[in-house]
């Protein structure tokens, strides 16, 4: 996985690359169509393959108070793109300087001068530059001045365009199965296991409390999940919500791994969401909750046995 953090770190070996440009939040099937176009152009011209993205997401820069909405951590995005055969992912710092840059300066200074790209691939709705003044037609005109070719990929979808916003809406509705189909993979949350209130242990189901950061929060409830720890896969069941039985209000992701023992504190965990089992409910005390958790475990085992 080659993740670069500035145009200054773009190595000479990548100059002349064919690059896709976009946010790539989710690396969904629409994004994969862009990567396929990159491969087609790069194969034809024997050029390296790259992705140019932005960090933080421009939405976070322009509306810093917006609720968490990201589908992927940057590291997850880079890993997924690496798996699609991209030689490097460049995450340009989206700050006030970049936001104020004109479309012409973005092409002249970044794409041509700093990166030396030979070809770029963008989606049909791509905009760039200050106030989003640049569009795909302008990109073609500006790119031509530097012999930078442009491929514009049309909308991809099944009657409705694949988009990160659509995936977010599906997750908010608890429709993980459809969201995963649009992503072409299970949606996941990446976080570090931290100390919690130990209630799961008291109930007979010790859980890993996974720290939530700037991720899209799906529908509160119980999910069948698969956790990835140091490359090893562990099936389990997860609760995401506010734990109303105990009158809590902060959102937590608690994961119970089947047939697992060991110390998880401080370890990084990827939690893949495979199915929504039921909404979060309030129970009259710990005993009814224990019985329900046992039923949830069996339901999740049944789901994951077929994966």
């Amino acid at each position: 996985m080659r993740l670069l953090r500035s145009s200054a770190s773009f190595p000479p070996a990548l100059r002349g690359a064919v690059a896709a440009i976009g946010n790539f939040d989710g690396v969904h099937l629409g994004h994969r169509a862009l990567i396929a176009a990159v491969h087609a152009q790069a194969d034809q011209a024997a050029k390296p393959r790259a992705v140019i993205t932005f960090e933080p997401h421009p939405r976070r820069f322009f509306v810093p108070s917006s609720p968490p909405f990201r589908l992927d951590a940057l590291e997850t995005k880079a890993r997924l793109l690496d798996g699609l055969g991209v030689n490097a992912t460049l995450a340009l710092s989206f700050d006030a300087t970049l936001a104020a840059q004109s479309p012409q300066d973005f092409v002249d200074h970044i794409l041509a001068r700093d990166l030396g790209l030979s070809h770029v691939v963008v989606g049909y709705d791509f905009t760039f530059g200050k106030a989003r003044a640049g569009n795909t037609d302008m990109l073609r005109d500006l790119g031509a001045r530097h012999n930078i070719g442009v491929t514009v990929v049309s909308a991809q979808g099944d009657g409705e365009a694949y988009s990160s916003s659509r995936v977010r809406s599906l997750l908010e509705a608890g429709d993980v199965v459809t969201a995963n189909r649009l992503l072409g993979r299970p949606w996941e949350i990446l976080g570090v296991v931290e100390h919690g209130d130990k209630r799961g242990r008291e109930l007979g189901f010790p859980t890993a409390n996974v720290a939530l950061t700037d991720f899209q929060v799906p529908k509160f409830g119980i999910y069948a999940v698969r956790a990835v720890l140091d490359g090893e896969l562990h099936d389990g069941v997860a609760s995401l919500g506010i734990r109303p039985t105990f009158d809590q209000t902060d959102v937590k992701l608690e994961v119970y791994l089947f047939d697992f023992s060991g110390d998880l504190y401080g370890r990084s965990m990827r939690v893949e969401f495979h199915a929504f089992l039921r909404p979060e409910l309030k129970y009259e005390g710990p005993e009814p909750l224990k019985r329900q958790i046992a039923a949830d475990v069996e339901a999740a085992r049944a789901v994951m046995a077929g994966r």
Side-chain angles (χ1 to χ4, degrees), residues 1 14 17 68 127 133 199 222 231 233 240 251 276 295:
M1 179 176 68
L14 288 179
T127 58
R199 284 201 181 95
I222 310 303
L233 306 180
L240 191 146
V251 180
F276 179 81

Side-chain angles (χ1 to χ4, degrees), residues 45-300:
K47 298 292 187 180
R49 301 152 171 80
V51 164
I52 312 301
T53 188
F54 307 96
E55 190 65 24
H57 191 292
R59 176 172 159 186
R60 175 60 65 213
F61 173 82
F62 287 115
V63 192
S65 61
S66 61
F69 64 89
R70 290 189 64 152
L71 297 173
D72 290 322
L74 176 60
E75 293 78 5
T76 300
K77 185 189 302 187
R79 172 176 55 80
L80 293 168
L81 292 169
D82 180 70
L84 295 175
V86 172
N87 299 120
T89 296
L90 169 60
L92 292 175
S93 177
F94 199 91
D95 53 17
T97 299
L98 186 60
Q101 196 168 49
S102 70
Q104 180 170 341
D105 284 348
F106 179 76
V107 174
D108 291 351
H109 298 164
I110 295 180
L111 303 188
R113 184 192 66 193
D114 294 351
L115 306 181
L117 301 180
S118 64
H119 199 100
V120 295
V121 176
V122 296
Y124 68 100
D125 55 353
F126 177 72
T127 58
F128 65 105
K130 183 178 179 180
R132 303 172 70 180
N135 57 23
T136 54
D137 289 335
M138 186 181 294
L139 182 62
R140 285 192 176 100
D141 291 341
L142 293 172
R145 302 178 188 181
H146 301 281
N147 294 317
I148 299 174
V150 176
T151 294
V152 178
V153 176
S154 61
Q156 308 290 306
D158 48 7
E160 184 178 354
Y162 299 136
S163 70
S164 301
S165 296
R166 185 178 170 194
V167 174
R168 293 186 192 106
S169 295
L170 289 165
L171 292 173
E172 288 174 353
D175 191 353
V176 174
V177 172
T178 304
N180 289 350
R181 180 175 59 79
L182 269 59
L183 291 169
R185 61 178 176 93
W187 179 67
E188 66 184 57
I189 284 180
L190 173 67
V192 174
V193 178
E194 56 187 15
H195 288 276
D197 52 26
K198 308 294 192 298
R199 284 201 181 95
R201 182 175 302 171
E202 294 170 1
L203 294 169
F205 299 93
T207 58
N209 186 44
V210 180
L212 295 172
T213 53
D214 194 26
F215 288 107
Q216 172 71 45
V217 177
K219 183 176 181 178
F220 287 176
I222 310 303
Y223 292 84
V225 300
R226 176 165 288 152
V228 184
L229 283 163
D230 298 325
E232 295 183 355
L233 306 180
H234 303 274
D235 291 345
V237 63
S239 170
L240 191 146
I242 58 173
R243 296 150 296 145
T245 299
F246 302 103
D247 297 320
Q248 301 296 300
T249 58
D250 54 328
V251 180
K252 295 283 188 180
L253 173 59
E254 297 173 310
V255 183
Y256 171 66
L257 302 180
F258 307 148
D259 311 315
F260 179 87
S261 63
D263 185 5
L264 294 174
Y265 294 120
R267 295 176 65 180
S268 179
M269 179 187 290
R270 287 166 42 202
V271 183
E272 299 178 351
F273 288 66
H274 285 262
F276 179 81
L277 300 179
R278 65 172 178 86
E280 187 175 49
L281 301 171
K282 181 169 183 173
Y283 294 89
E284 297 302 320
E287 287 306 315
L289 178 58
K290 281 178 65 174
R291 291 192 293 271
Q292 183 60 61
I293 294 174
D296 294 336
V297 167
E298 293 310 307

